[in-house]
Amino acid sequence: MSNDLTTLSGTEEAVWKTLQDIAGDPRSPDRILALGTQSQKGGGSVRMVVLRKADPANKTLVFYTHRRSGKVREIERNPGAEALYWNADHKLQIRLRGTVTISDGPDDVWDGFGEGTRANYSASPAAGEVISHPGQIGTGPDQAAFVVLTLTVFEVETLWLGGLVHHRALFTKEKACWLAP
């Protein structure tokens, strides 16, 4: 990471460049982010998701999931969510808060999936449903089960532990400021 994390503008630039770079590299282990939503059972619900796209101009992150997954039901009830990125090498944490929209998976993306990936989007059983053994896959690929989650970010908070003094910053539409770490 060559961006200057000691300035607000450098930090904000580093956030979106980092997210764009990792989303564009299918082999990057950094593409795995935590996504938190409001659980249907009360409290929070956090799971790991694969970052597919980051768009700095629109301040959005894109993830794919199964239409019948618990996270989709949670987002339908409350679209507020937070994504969390951590890079141990750079000692950088990025928290991205926003709202999630759910849309049908595009044909061109579906067409690019291999057979194994498509099998993860079966009509039945639903994601999270009890099955008899791990090899029990569903009734076959179902493109209707493939959806896109788009997190529109309204707040970014960073924490960089790489300097002599830790740096914490907050970015919203209205302001960019330093926070006490």
Side-chain angles (χ1 to χ4, degrees):
M1 180 171 304
S2 61
N3 298 75
D4 179 9
L5 297 173
T6 64
T7 68
L8 287 170
S9 61
T11 300
E12 186 172 28
E13 182 182 316
V15 164
W16 289 101
K17 177 162 182 7
T18 297
L19 295 170
Q20 251 188 323
D21 288 351
I22 62 176
D25 181 359
R27 291 184 292 276
S28 174
D30 287 339
R31 289 177 67 197
I32 310 298
L33 279 63
L35 179 67
T37 56
Q38 180 67 43
S39 170
Q40 295 177 37
K41 299 174 185 174
S45 182
V46 181
R47 81 283 293 152
M48 305 311 288
V49 292
V50 178
L51 178 62
R52 303 296 180 164
K53 182 179 178 187
D55 181 349
N58 293 308
K59 304 284 192 251
T60 58
L61 303 179
V62 171
F63 312 98
Y64 301 156
T65 195
H66 195 291
R67 181 177 304 280
R68 293 172 58 202
S69 69
K71 68 180 140 310
V72 168
R73 290 188 298 277
E74 291 169 359
I75 290 165
E76 287 172 338
R77 286 184 42 179
N78 180 348
E82 182 169 329
L84 175 66
Y85 166 83
W86 168 251
N87 182 296
D89 292 336
H90 298 291
K91 299 179 181 167
L92 177 64
Q93 171 184 281
I94 304 171
R95 296 171 63 186
L96 303 113
R97 294 179 198 95
T99 54
V100 179
T101 55
I102 303 164
S103 57
D104 293 336
D107 290 341
D108 63 324
V109 174
W110 179 261
D111 293 342
F113 285 161
E115 194 174 315
T117 300
R118 286 184 184 190
N120 291 316
Y121 298 99
S122 62
S124 174
E129 193 173 302
V130 175
I131 56 177
S132 59
H133 57 83
Q136 179 186 344
I137 59 171
T139 55
D142 178 11
Q143 186 174 354
F146 167 52
V147 295
V148 174
L149 304 179
T150 303
L151 175 65
T152 301
V153 178
F154 58 73
E155 185 174 281
V156 176
E157 188 175 321
T158 63
L159 178 61
W160 179 52
L161 306 175
L164 182 60
V165 175
H166 299 166
H167 294 79
R168 184 174 172 194
L170 176 69
F171 303 92
T172 67
K173 200 176 198 178
E174 295 80 28
K175 67 179 176 184
C177 61
W178 295 112
L179 302 174

